Amino acid sequence: MKINEIIARLKRGNERFVKDRLALENQGSNRRQDVIKGQNPLAIILGCADSRVVPELIFDTGIGELFVVRVAGNVANTSTIASIEYAVAHLETKVIVVLSHQSCGAVTAAVVGGDNGVNLNHLLALITPAIADSGENATVDDISRKNAQLTVMELAHQSHIISNAVKNDSLKIIPAYYNLDTGIVEYLV
């Protein structure tokens, strides 16, 4: 499937989700049997660990259709980048969606600041460039959008596998923002 076809499929799946008309395909025992020997996901989703953000539902996909990497604040750290590199290099996945969302708790924690312990402080530090680039009057949602855009750049900057695939036109990375209240995914391009 071509890159534009994959993006169009994700958009159609989100439209079905928003309209409460999920196709619910590729979710049963037959699909489980189909993917035993391997996976060929349509897209990689780098999303937040927030329990309200479920990429498989948001894009109305089934088993084996998305390679989902979740971490609070949808940040590009060593582990998330390595997971994405695996899907790009070994599964030849052609689309990465960096999916931020409304009312992100990790972004809120980064804005509030303070000492959250060594591990969470490390993670929140990856969000601070988005705070700095968003301006004084930016809301948490503005910063969340900016964070997705900066994460797209960080993925290509921190990984030769990802940057080479982008340069060769075999991979597209898209920042996106999920609205909790409407269910709509906005593509920030």
Side-chain angles (χ1 to χ4, degrees):
M1 192 176 286
K2 294 180 181 177
I3 289 173
N4 290 337
E5 294 171 334
I6 294 166
I7 295 166
R9 185 165 175 191
L10 293 173
K11 288 180 178 181
R12 286 191 309 272
N14 182 244
E15 288 171 8
R16 289 191 302 272
F17 173 73
V18 169
K19 294 177 182 176
D20 289 325
R21 295 176 187 226
L22 296 173
L24 302 174
E25 296 175 350
N26 296 320
Q27 296 185 5
S29 58
N30 288 338
R31 181 60 175 175
R32 285 195 313 269
Q33 296 304 311
D34 289 344
V35 298
I36 287 173
K37 293 181 182 167
Q39 59 178 318
N40 186 22
L42 298 169
I44 301 160
I45 309 296
L46 173 55
C48 187
D50 191 302
S51 64
R52 303 168 292 175
V53 183
V54 184
E56 293 86 352
L57 291 175
I58 292 167
F59 296 107
D60 190 21
T61 56
I63 298 169
E65 293 185 294
L66 296 180
F67 190 92
V68 179
V69 179
R70 294 178 70 166
V71 61
N74 48 270
V75 297
N77 63 24
T78 303
S79 296
T80 59
I81 293 170
S83 295
I84 292 168
E85 285 177 335
Y86 170 77
V88 171
H90 296 279
L91 304 177
E92 299 178 357
T93 309
K94 298 176 178 129
V95 173
I96 301 170
V97 177
V98 177
L99 186 63
S100 62
H101 68 92
Q102 181 179 14
S103 303
C104 181
V107 171
T108 301
V111 169
V112 170
D115 187 1
N116 293 286
V118 66
N119 295 308
L120 187 51
N121 285 343
H122 177 75
L123 182 125
L124 297 178
L126 297 171
I127 299 171
T128 56
I131 296 168
D133 283 4
S134 295
E136 283 183 46
N137 298 321
T139 66
V140 166
D141 295 335
D142 295 333
I143 296 166
S144 187
R145 286 180 177 93
K146 177 58 75 176
N147 188 51
Q149 294 167 328
L150 293 178
T151 299
V152 166
M153 293 188 301
E154 200 62 21
L155 286 172
H157 178 72
Q158 295 295 329
S159 168
H160 287 81
I161 291 170
I162 295 169
S163 64
N164 287 339
V166 170
K167 286 176 191 169
N168 294 331
D169 293 325
S170 60
L171 177 69
K172 184 166 185 162
I173 312 172
I174 306 166
Y177 177 84
Y178 172 62
N179 292 277
L180 293 174
D181 52 0
T182 64
I184 294 171
V185 173
E186 299 171 31
Y187 293 89
L188 307 174
V189 289

